[in-house]
Amino acid sequence: MSIFKAYDIRGIYGQDLNEDIFYRIARAYAQFCGFTGKGKVVVARDCRTSSDSMFAAFAKGLVDEGVDVLDIGMASTPMSYFANATLKADGSVMITASHNTKEWNGCKLCKANAVPISGATGIKDIEKIFEGISLNEPPAGVGEVTKVDISAQYAEHVKTFAHLKRPLHLALDFANGMGIAEAAAFKDSMITYDALYGEYDGNFPNHDANPLKTETLADLQAFIRANPGKYAFGVAYDGDADRAGFVDEKGDVIPMDFTTALISQDMLASNPGAACFYDLRSTKVCEEVIAAAGGKPMMSRVGHSFIKEQMRQNDAIFAGELSGHYYFKANSTAESSSMATFALANIVSASDKPLSELIKPLRKYFQSGEINTKTVTPPAEILAKVKSIYAAKARVFELDGVSVDAWETEGYWANVRMSNTEPLVRLNLEGKTKEIMEAKRDEFLAVIRQ
């Protein structure tokens, strides 16, 4: 399986990836972007045990292409995006495997202004260049490595999002990852916190740094429940802190699309009429809340590169993805988990109700969750079948896969799309009632699995 993925480069260190491979990737990236003999690139890394040596290899590859490296050290992915724009770099590289377990590593590649390079916009081209580069290829130039510390500047920038009406005390589960760096923004603010697993450890010894897996939230939930009334809410970070999961003051998990709805409210309070995006798997409540807050609700494709592109095209101030990515125009339309935390804290601090009560009115519809079906039939054929069956019954559109909108007529919407990497068809469906959701879920699954 190729290490060159749809959104990044990723593999198991020592098996799929090593320093020599990273050196060649760096040179291929520089050549693809036209940086050879010029340009400066921000390079950051997470706390994985292999990240220091992988950084050294990547930096050498850039230097040998005549590219200057701005080394911001160990940082969160949101900090790398911030550095890209603030330092007016020509590109940035974040060495991380995000939420993957300790044996993985990889890199996220950007052009200037934190514009991501995806499979559709360059990763596959970089792979072709990479294949033609040897370790003995002579240097094309000589670049320099300069250490730059942007952590304080990032923290001050994030703090501009804080508009709390009263102090809040939070519980934060760093999972021994880069959330530790991200949370420096809370210092000298109205947010204080108690930490779980607040020491860097690239082996992630306590649990996976992946809040999308609800079992990884168990320690945070238990911590909050053992201290009733102490915490306004809890936050769990993934390995590079570009994703965050939230739990309420009772320790109950908050669906990530509900978090999108609440953050949109806060963003629109100071940006009336602005566009906010939610990904097409999200509850209908997102659209309703954004509209009620005076914003322009817009639906996005799944995947960070697509969302960021749509945000730029529509001058959107915020976007939320069901996977726990929260994107802000103020951070180069890129993620910032600390900005998301401040936005949620603003909402909670302005209310006399706890977060669980603010969430309660949003729990009005019924979702299937994402249901994956392995199929022998080519997924594209299944999507074509869904389109042909439902086109005469409802509004059908193809933003990402096939979406069926029968909300006003039959009380449901559905999305059927393909996996980028596996022979899977994914169904997401929501109904106004549980009965509608279950009936339509089974109907669509019968079509998919027939």
Side-chain angles (χ1 to χ4, degrees), residues 46-50 101-103 176 199-205:
D46 69 12
C47 64
R48 290 166 189 273
T49 56
S50 60
T101 49
K102 63 181 181 179
E103 64 271 19
N176 303 106
E199 305 80 33
Y200 290 117
D201 189 334
N203 289 307
F204 308 116

Side-chain angles (χ1 to χ4, degrees), residues 12-34:
I12 295 175
Y13 175 71
Q15 176 179 308
D16 310 311
L17 280 176
N18 58 32
E19 287 76 8
D20 289 346
I21 288 171
F22 246 41
Y23 172 82
R24 291 165 58 206
I25 290 171
R27 298 197 68 169
Y29 162 70
Q31 290 178 27
F32 169 77
C33 293

Side-chain angles (χ1 to χ4, degrees), residues 174-194:
F174 295 125
N176 303 106
M178 298 316 305
I180 299 165
E182 186 75 8
F186 303 141
K187 185 179 180 182
D188 300 324
S189 77
M190 292 179 77
I191 287 180
T192 55
Y193 65 84
D194 292 331

Side-chain angles (χ1 to χ4, degrees), residues 8-329:
D8 58 15
I9 296 169
R10 203 177 298 192
I12 295 175
Y13 175 71
Q15 176 179 308
D16 310 311
L17 280 176
N18 58 32
E19 287 76 8
D20 289 346
I21 288 171
F22 246 41
Y23 172 82
R24 291 165 58 206
I25 290 171
R27 298 197 68 169
Y29 162 70
Q31 290 178 27
F32 169 77
C33 293
F35 295 159
T36 301
K38 56 186 178 182
K40 56 183 180 180
V41 173
V42 168
V43 186
R45 55 196 178 275
D46 69 12
C47 64
R48 290 166 189 273
T49 56
S50 60
S51 287
D52 282 348
S53 64
M54 297 293 263
F55 163 82
F58 206 103
K60 185 176 189 307
L62 290 177
V63 165
D64 283 355
E65 284 292 325
V67 177
D68 291 334
V69 173
L70 302 176
D71 171 15
I72 67 168
M74 205 162 65
S76 68
T77 291
M79 291 167 68
S80 76
Y81 296 140
F82 174 79
N84 182 319
T86 304
L87 300 175
K88 295 181 168 50
D90 298 295
S92 63
V93 178
M94 179 69 197
I95 295 171
T96 182
S98 190
H99 59 275
N100 285 73
T101 49
K102 63 181 181 179
E103 64 271 19
W104 289 73
N105 215 326
C107 57
K108 298 177 179 180
L109 308 175
C110 290
K111 296 182 179 179
N113 297 312
V115 174
I117 300 174
S118 68
T121 60
I123 285 180
K124 290 302 177 185
D125 299 299
I126 290 170
E127 182 178 17
K128 289 176 185 174
I129 298 170
F130 161 84
E131 288 169 350
I133 292 176
S134 76
L135 292 173
N136 299 318
E137 190 162 327
V142 180
E144 296 180 345
V145 178
T146 304
K147 290 185 179 294
V148 183
D149 186 354
I150 56 91
S151 54
Q153 197 173 352
Y154 175 70
E156 288 306 309
H157 175 62
V158 169
K159 258 184 254 191
T160 64
F161 275 68
H163 306 290
L164 279 74
K165 303 297 184 187
R166 56 185 170 90
L168 294 181
H169 193 54
L170 308 184
L172 307 183
D173 184 348
F174 295 125
N176 303 106
M178 298 316 305
I180 299 165
E182 186 75 8
F186 303 141
K187 185 179 180 182
D188 300 324
S189 77
M190 292 179 77
I191 287 180
T192 55
Y193 65 84
D194 292 331
L196 278 173
Y197 314 131
E199 305 80 33
Y200 290 117
D201 189 334
N203 289 307
F204 308 116
N206 294 291
H207 61 73
D208 290 352
N210 184 4
L212 198 57
K213 293 165 64 177
T214 53
E215 61 268 27
T216 69
L217 301 175
D219 289 356
L220 179 61
Q221 292 177 290
F223 188 65
I224 289 174
R225 288 167 181 163
N227 298 277
K230 186 173 183 179
Y231 303 108
F233 58 87
V235 189
Y237 299 85
D238 76 337
D240 62 334
D242 67 349
R243 288 196 292 132
F246 295 89
V247 300
D248 67 19
E249 81 287 353
K250 297 178 180 178
D252 294 332
V253 177
I254 303 170
M256 290 170 175
D257 44 0
F258 288 2
T259 304
T260 294
L262 289 177
I263 294 175
S264 295
Q265 282 183 317
D266 180 65
M267 298 298 297
L268 290 165
S270 54
N271 298 274
C276 292
F277 276 91
Y278 56 94
D279 92 51
L280 51 67
R281 301 167 298 175
S282 300
T283 173
K284 192 77 170 178
V285 166
C286 287
E287 177 186 344
E288 295 173 351
V289 167
I290 293 167
K296 184 180 180 183
M298 301 191 75
M299 185 183 288
S300 71
R301 290 186 64 176
V302 176
H304 79 103
S305 60
F306 300 119
I307 292 172
K308 291 169 182 175
E309 181 181 7
Q310 287 183 264
M311 285 182 71
R312 288 188 168 96
Q313 290 171 346
N314 293 276
D315 195 29
I317 57 166
F318 171 70
E321 192 174 11
L322 202 56
S323 53
H325 291 268
Y326 302 105
Y327 308 87
F328 296 84
K329 179 182 177 181

Side-chain angles (χ1 to χ4, degrees), residues 391-404:
K393 302 177 181 181
R395 184 173 78 92
V396 171
F397 58 96
E398 297 178 86
L399 175 63
D400 188 351
V402 175
S403 292
V404 178

